[in-house]
Amino acid sequence: MTQLSQTYDPKSIETTQQQKWENDQRYKTNNEKTDKPTRYMLSMFPYPSGKLHMGHVRNYTISDVLSRYYRLKGYDVMQPMGWDAFGLPAENAAIANGVAPADWTFSNIDNMRTQLKSLGFSIDWSREFATCTPEYYRWEQWLFIQLFKKGLVYKKLATVNWDPVDNTVLANEQVVDGRGWRSGALVEKREIPMYYYKITTYADELLNDLDKLEGHWAPQVITMQRNWIGRSEGMELHFPYELDDEQKSLDVFTTRPDTFMGVTYVSIAPEHPLATHLAQNNSELQNFIAECKKGSVAEADVAKAEKLGMATGFFVKHPITQKDVPVWIANYVLMSYGSGAVMGVPSHDERDFEFANKYDIPIVQVITNDQATGDYDDKNWQDWYAVKGTCVNSGEFDGLNYQQVFDELLAKLEPQGLAKKTINFRLRDWGVSRQRYWGCPIPTINCEHCGTVPVPESDLPVILPTDVVPDGRGNPLNKMPEFTDVNCPECGKPAKRETDTFDTFMESSWYYARFASPNYNEGMIDKTNADKWLPVDQYVGGVEHAVLHLLYARFFHKLMRDEGLVNGDEPFANLLTQGMVLAGTFYRQNDDGSKTYYFAEEVSLSADGKTATLKADGQPVIIGKIEKMSKSKNNGIDPQATIDQYGADTVRLYTMFTAPADQTLEWVDDGLKGPFNFLKKVWRYAVDFNKNLQAQGKAQQDLVISQLNVKNLSKETKNLRRKTHETIAKLDDDLGNRLALNTPVSSLMELANELTAFEVKSSDDLLIANEALTSLLVLLQMFAPHMAEVLLENLGLNPLALSYPSVDKSALVQDSVTMVVQVNGKIRGKLEVAPNSDAEWLKAETKKLDGVVKFLTGDIVKEIVVPNKLVNIVVKG
Ligand code: ANZ
Ligand code: ZN
């Protein structure tokens, strides 16, 4: 056997190891039915942007450590990888560089695959797929057609951002300050037909099934799901009015019918039919409505926008007081929520309050409660607004609480058709049409005679042409008759193929299920394999995907379940949302208010780290905040450069060790030295250890622990043995139960410290040191798989035959513990005693110690015993 060098050189081992794993298909999933338990480990698959970033490294290392853990524990593990390959960046790159999105995407995939492989992840690469291939997206088209037939997909008009210069629809993020990002033209709103998935049909189930997620889930993720679905119980109330001699009523949705008597106006959305009607002969209202239609269509922007309104001069009747209530058109009322109309209660609703103050609308307090102190006025009204209490200034409802008013109103108004109990969801149906080239073609044909006709299943897939370079002026598919011109499948006459493509959230909504049978040609999912692997046991990804992506995937799972493709109600049993990777920033303030950011390596820090200068000119730069790594802040650390410098094992170890997986990780370049030195130390020790063994003519089979007489071991030897088994038990609990990935690394470091300080004095000692070393290396395989495996093999062990070490409980028992003895909080001695010794006995023994006696100079006022740790005597005088 060739001797390993004493110095740890990751470059010389890592690629060799990776090659070896690839050659013997080490991490290929066992798909046969076995009696082993299975574990499906999945990290959110990447968008192939071209390069890995540190967020990826952290994400995939987490799932890799856990995958390796379950492999050691004897599970059949599946850890796949693929590419979320459709999306806007490819089109933008095409516009910038004139390359076809397909070429750009596939060459990025090649780069990133190489990078991922250089990190030594135990991925089953035979399952790899990119979502932009027809083999994948055809099943998305197939499912669309099934849902279309079932009525779970429908078409309706929707408002989009329209760039009148480039003649193209813009995504919300392509609208910058109300203008098209490329043309700079003022963006307009346009109504175009789009396809919708009826996710609202599943709203109740999506909400209720959150209770089934009993595994590891961050509570805020569940809350975000709940809020996004946004179930509100409330009441629909009608305000009667007369228009053109017709009796009608304006209905509003409210969650606070108890504030009904505080209504001082009613506001309607600019798109509300009543608004349209009232504006017919009123140019001022028409202009105002047109004004409201400008700007972004994103709901978040609507919420932030300044509240604008205009009185219509029209009145409706309050059904209880019979008084006239003015109708306003307001930009903060969404047409898509409730009935597109709101009863304005400025005294108890924040938005109404802002609106009423702006337009001098009366504010009448109608709720009082004991929690709020002082009198109700403009300044402290917030104390009241969210709180349910008792009605005041409310006529017949005075003194009643929320529920009582609710019931009274219903009893009174429902028989007249003026009130109804309702439930509203904030969740909207999912608009899936995008006017983009680089996406999955929507499989429909538009026929003048037959309308929308789905592409027959036998004609699937509708293949997206890939030799196309978009120029930013509309969807290039529209200029390709070879794509658009078809005969209608129903009447046979000439028709046009749909050129819209799916929202790219679609591909990421079911990839987790496809991984179970990635090459299956007979259908979307092969049920047998899906049953073996689903649900995903552990999903890992960024919290930014814990709202929409998660919701859509949960929705798709239910759709596929109802299609008979998968079992179970939920796609993911556990979700670990990892924290962001942050780094420090350095910048200079420019005259125009902008900032110029510098890379950390361009800057020198003062000794105390409080000031910094630019190396280039020696002039000061400002030390900015520690922020998420990003291109715009020049604070991204390139994983490749770090791997080249330290090796993948150190990078993996560092990303796991530096912070708990679900918290932010503050990247400090110097921080890599700690884990690197630790690996060097283990390397050196293991190489020396093996040399010594060989010198003694010993091999692993001569070092069998069962031959040992444990009772005769020295205290030091017992301590090392205990440390070994404590570490084995600790990691098992950390990784298997607590999902803690940072503390295992410190435990391994502690074990390595004890081992390297341990002196081998007897053959028994050698057995114990060997046990400690091999356990350390087996466990270290999860974090630093390359070097650990090389060292294990060097010791003559077969890595394929190794499993998670078992804990010898008897090794955990301590014969004695060392307790610290203090007087008035200062250490004055030590006691070597049996574990869990009696407290009274301990107090007595303490007072016999020479080191202690001389400090017992006054009255003993208190004696504190912390079991197995400490005795503290408090003296006074
Ligand atoms: C009167 C009121 C008084 C309200 C009060 C709240 C507090 P959630 O809980 O999100 O369902 N609302 C109803 N339809 C709306 C629309 N289309 N656009 C904007 N706001 C609308 O919110 C329900 C509340 O949002 C409703 O209850 C209504 O204001 C407003 F002290 O009615 B409330
Ligand atoms: Zn037709």
Side-chain angles (χ1 to χ4, degrees):
M1 196 204 260
T2 52
Q3 287 291 345
L4 289 179
S5 144
Q6 259 222 324
T7 36
Y8 169 53
D9 174 26
K11 270 203 195 69
S12 68
I13 59 166
E14 290 187 351
T15 28
T16 320
Q17 284 299 107
Q18 287 152 17
Q19 200 54 55
K20 189 173 92 186
W21 297 336
E22 196 158 325
N23 293 347
D24 62 10
Q25 302 197 319
R26 179 80 65 88
Y27 303 115
K28 196 168 153 78
T29 314
N30 178 12
N31 227 12
E32 302 305 309
K33 263 243 165 314
T34 62
D35 40 15
K36 285 186 180 182
T38 61
R39 197 82 191 171
Y40 180 4
M41 297 290 322
L42 183 66
S43 276
M44 292 180 184
F45 68 161
Y47 176 77
S49 57
K51 262 181 157 193
L52 286 191
H53 56 65
M54 278 304 175
H56 291 130
V57 174
R58 191 176 195 197
N59 199 172
Y60 303 132
T61 307
I62 293 170
S63 51
D64 193 54
V65 168
L66 292 169
S67 294
R68 289 176 180 277
Y69 168 73
Y70 283 102
R71 279 205 179 85
L72 282 174
K73 296 288 283 186
Y75 284 68
D76 271 341
V77 174
M78 170 161 93
Q79 185 180 217
M81 183 57 71
W83 311 96
D84 190 12
F86 276 136
L88 208 47
E91 287 192 51
N92 293 343
I95 296 165
N97 312 319
V99 284
D103 296 342
W104 183 82
T105 304
F106 284 111
S107 95
N108 285 350
I109 288 176
D110 287 342
N111 284 339
M112 289 172 76
R113 187 191 304 105
T114 308
Q115 282 196 298
L116 282 176
K117 288 190 174 174
S118 78
L119 278 152
F121 295 137
S122 57
I123 288 168
D124 177 0
W125 285 102
S126 72
R127 287 173 190 261
E128 175 189 359
F129 60 75
T131 58
C132 61
T133 56
E135 293 75 24
Y136 181 79
Y137 65 64
R138 68 174 296 179
W139 300 112
E140 225 162 277
Q141 298 175 335
W142 173 85
L143 183 68
F144 172 90
I145 289 167
Q146 313 312 312
L147 299 174
F148 192 88
K149 288 183 196 153
K150 280 189 187 170
L152 283 168
V153 167
Y154 63 94
K155 209 172 184 179
K156 79 164 188 203
L157 285 180
T159 317
V160 294
N161 304 304
W162 178 258
D163 183 324
V165 170
D166 276 348
N167 283 320
T168 189
V169 174
L170 300 175
N172 285 332
E173 61 272 20
Q174 291 177 315
V175 181
V176 182
D177 296 331
R179 291 173 183 276
W181 67 300
R182 230 179 66 87
S183 67
L186 273 177
V187 168
E188 296 167 5
K189 282 182 188 171
R190 267 217 184 169
E191 299 237 293
I192 58 168
M194 298 226 257
Y195 289 98
Y196 283 84
Y197 274 36
K198 268 197 190 166
I199 190 171
T200 51
T201 308
Y202 286 82
D204 259 323
E205 211 193 325
L206 286 165
L207 189 68
N208 296 335
D209 284 357
L210 289 171
D211 295 336
K212 293 184 181 157
L213 304 177
E214 289 165 337
H216 278 275
W217 287 78
Q220 68 268 29
V221 167
I222 305 291
T223 306
M224 285 190 292
Q225 290 284 299
R226 209 160 257 141
N227 291 345
W228 192 265
I229 299 165
R231 183 183 191 273
S232 301
E233 263 183 47
M235 202 182 276
E236 198 181 285
L237 284 160
H238 294 243
F239 291 77
Y241 63 88
E242 206 186 284
L243 192 68
D244 304 335
D245 292 331
E246 253 189 274
Q247 285 303 321
K248 299 194 166 178
S249 72
L250 177 68
D251 46 332
V252 302
F253 169 69
T254 179
T255 47
R256 295 293 305 273
D258 56 326
T259 65
F260 197 34
M261 302 301 274
V263 173
T264 51
Y265 70 101
V266 172
S267 49
I268 57 179
E271 302 86 355
H272 197 283
L274 182 62
T276 317
H277 189 92
L278 297 174
Q280 261 169 13
N281 302 314
N282 184 332
S283 60
E284 227 189 323
L285 282 181
Q286 280 168 18
N287 291 341
F288 178 69
I289 292 172
E291 192 61 33
C292 290
K293 286 188 180 167
K294 281 194 195 142
S296 164
V297 294
E299 205 176 292
D301 295 335
V302 173
K304 270 184 283 167
E306 192 198 342
K307 296 191 179 28
L308 295 175
M310 187 173 275
T312 60
F314 189 74
F315 294 84
V316 292
K317 245 186 192 46
H318 191 289
I320 300 287
T321 64
Q322 302 301 328
K323 281 194 190 136
D324 277 347
V325 180
V327 176
W328 286 67
I329 298 176
N331 68 345
Y332 71 92
V333 182
L334 302 167
M335 191 56 219
S336 53
Y337 191 62
S339 56
V342 180
M343 61 182 221
V345 187
S347 48
H348 301 283
D349 179 90
E350 188 162 14
R351 289 165 305 179
D352 297 348
F353 179 76
E354 195 185 322
F355 192 78
N357 272 322
K358 181 160 177 180
Y359 294 108
D360 276 332
I361 299 171
I363 300 175
V364 182
Q365 181 197 359
V366 288
I367 302 288
T368 184
N369 66 75
D370 334 317
Q371 281 129 287
T373 47
D375 289 333
Y376 180 97
D377 69 31
D378 286 5
K379 278 164 212 75
N380 70 354
W381 72 282
Q382 273 98 339
D383 294 347
W384 271 267
Y385 87 83
V387 191
K388 290 174 183 167
T390 311
C391 290
V392 290
N393 302 328
S394 298
E396 60 196 277
F397 304 108
D398 276 354
L400 301 187
N401 65 22
Y402 174 85
Q403 198 54 51
Q404 289 166 328
V405 184
F406 200 106
D407 298 341
E408 283 276 307
L409 271 178
L410 217 49
K412 212 168 163 157
L413 297 177
E414 197 170 26
Q416 308 169 48
L418 295 176
K420 205 172 98 194
K421 193 173 163 175
T422 51
I423 291 164
N424 256 300
F425 287 94
R426 224 183 69 88
L427 185 65
R428 301 270 79 88
D429 279 338
W430 177 14
V432 296
S433 302
R434 295 292 178 272
Q435 298 68 40
R436 311 253 143 246
Y437 155 70
W438 189 235
C440 168
I442 298 182
T444 56
I445 288 164
N446 300 311
C447 172
E448 253 177 63
H449 313 281
C450 317
T452 302
V453 183
V455 172
E457 266 177 51
S458 54
D459 290 352
L460 293 182
V462 177
I463 295 182
L464 183 75
T466 49
D467 51 348
V468 176
V469 184
D471 59 6
R473 296 189 181 84
N475 185 343
L477 293 176
N478 284 322
K479 296 166 211 153
M480 301 176 71
E482 64 275 30
F483 180 79
T484 54
D485 293 3
V486 286
N487 289 331
C488 169
E490 257 166 41
C491 69
K493 295 193 183 119
K496 290 273 180 210
R497 192 185 285 292
E498 176 64 64
T499 57
D500 281 0
T501 53
F502 282 136
D503 178 1
T504 57
F505 267 121
M506 194 84 101
E507 286 82 52
S508 52
S509 295
W510 66 284
Y511 76 111
Y512 70 90
R514 182 73 182 170
F515 273 136
S517 50
N519 304 311
Y520 189 55
N521 290 323
E522 319 291 308
M524 191 168 188
I525 284 149
D526 170 18
K527 185 92 188 330
T528 318
N529 281 316
D531 286 350
K532 170 160 177 157
W533 293 109
L534 294 179
V536 174
D537 293 292
Q538 181 66 61
Y539 199 29
V540 185
V543 73
E544 66 276 19
H545 299 300
V547 183
L548 285 182
H549 160 62
L550 181 59
L551 188 72
Y552 292 146
R554 296 181 57 227
F555 170 49
F556 252 68
H557 195 83
K558 294 172 200 296
L559 291 174
M560 294 190 292
R561 176 201 62 195
D562 294 349
E563 218 42 68
L565 297 168
V566 294
N567 270 324
D569 297 323
E570 287 288 328
F572 312 115
N574 298 282
L575 171 65
L576 191 160
T577 39
Q578 104 232 24
M580 285 189 299
V581 184
L582 318 177
T585 55
F586 302 95
Y587 68 91
R588 277 183 189 159
Q589 192 73 52
N590 300 324
D591 293 341
D592 63 357
S594 67
K595 289 171 181 166
T596 303
Y597 284 93
Y598 299 98
F599 288 103
E601 57 267 25
E602 296 179 279
V603 169
S604 9
L605 273 178
S606 64
D608 62 1
K610 287 189 179 142
T611 56
T613 51
L614 193 65
K615 285 179 189 162
D617 60 15
Q619 297 303 306
V621 291
I622 300 170
I623 301 178
K625 281 200 289 261
I626 293 164
E627 292 191 64
K628 181 181 174 178
M629 284 187 181
S630 82
K631 284 204 188 90
S632 63
K633 303 271 160 67
N634 277 355
N635 68 338
I637 308 279
D638 178 17
Q640 201 56 56
T642 323
I643 298 169
D644 291 346
Q645 189 179 352
Y646 289 100
D649 282 341
T650 297
V651 175
R652 293 171 54 115
L653 208 56
Y654 175 73
T655 45
M656 290 303 96
F657 165 68
T658 311
D662 58 355
Q663 281 163 42
T664 53
L665 187 165
E666 204 180 295
W667 192 274
V668 182
D669 263 341
D670 268 358
L672 287 145
K673 288 182 184 147
F676 187 56
N677 288 337
F678 160 65
L679 293 184
K680 281 206 286 205
K681 178 162 148 181
V682 172
W683 180 273
R684 204 178 320 114
Y685 181 86
V687 171
D688 285 347
F689 188 90
N690 193 50
K691 262 194 214 144
N692 285 334
L693 276 189
Q694 287 180 340
Q696 295 176 42
K698 285 189 175 161
Q700 282 300 314
Q701 57 268 28
D702 307 320
L703 301 171
V704 182
I705 218 82
S706 58
Q707 299 167 352
L708 182 84
N709 187 350
V710 194
K711 293 231 161 56
N712 298 338
L713 299 180
S714 72
K715 186 166 179 263
E716 288 72 27
T717 314
K718 277 187 187 162
N719 280 346
L720 178 61
R721 180 140 206 264
R722 190 172 59 246
K723 187 74 194 175
T724 302
H725 287 272
E726 273 173 3
T727 310
I728 298 169
K730 171 96 169 42
L731 263 65
D732 206 9
D733 185 47
D734 281 355
L735 298 169
N737 300 326
R738 303 195 308 122
L739 275 187
L741 291 99
N742 58 329
T743 45
V745 182
S746 11
S747 303
L748 292 173
M749 288 176 170
E750 280 174 31
L751 175 58
N753 284 342
E754 291 208 10
L755 172 60
T756 50
F758 178 72
E759 240 182 287
V760 177
K761 293 181 193 147
S762 67
S763 58
D764 282 352
D765 286 356
L766 187 66
L767 291 191
I768 299 303
N770 185 62
E771 184 194 34
L773 177 60
T774 51
S775 306
L776 173 69
L777 293 175
V778 170
L779 298 174
L780 195 57
Q781 278 187 103
M782 300 184 276
F783 296 88
H786 308 89
M787 67 93 78
E789 184 169 307
V790 169
L791 293 174
L792 283 165
E793 284 188 323
N794 186 52
L795 285 170
L797 290 158
N798 173 8
L800 293 172
L802 295 169
S803 56
Y804 197 91
S806 49
V807 179
D808 181 346
K809 288 232 171 75
S810 69
L812 298 177
V813 179
Q814 276 175 288
D815 304 343
S816 66
V817 290
T818 310
M819 294 185 68
V820 172
V821 175
Q822 301 180 328
V823 178
N824 288 348
K826 288 214 176 77
I827 297 177
R828 299 298 181 200
K830 278 183 182 164
L831 269 181
E832 195 67 32
V833 295
N836 306 316
S837 294
D838 175 70
E840 291 313 311
W841 178 82
L842 281 170
K843 290 175 193 168
E845 285 302 301
T846 305
K847 280 171 243 162
K848 291 180 197 158
L849 294 176
D850 290 342
V852 171
V853 174
K854 50 183 169 188
F855 292 102
L856 299 179
T857 47
D859 292 340
I860 296 180
V861 290
K862 215 178 191 177
E863 290 167 283
I864 303 154
V865 176
V866 181
N868 300 325
K869 293 223 163 71
L870 164 131
V871 183
N872 185 17
I873 303 177
V874 183
V875 236
K876 227 180 178 170

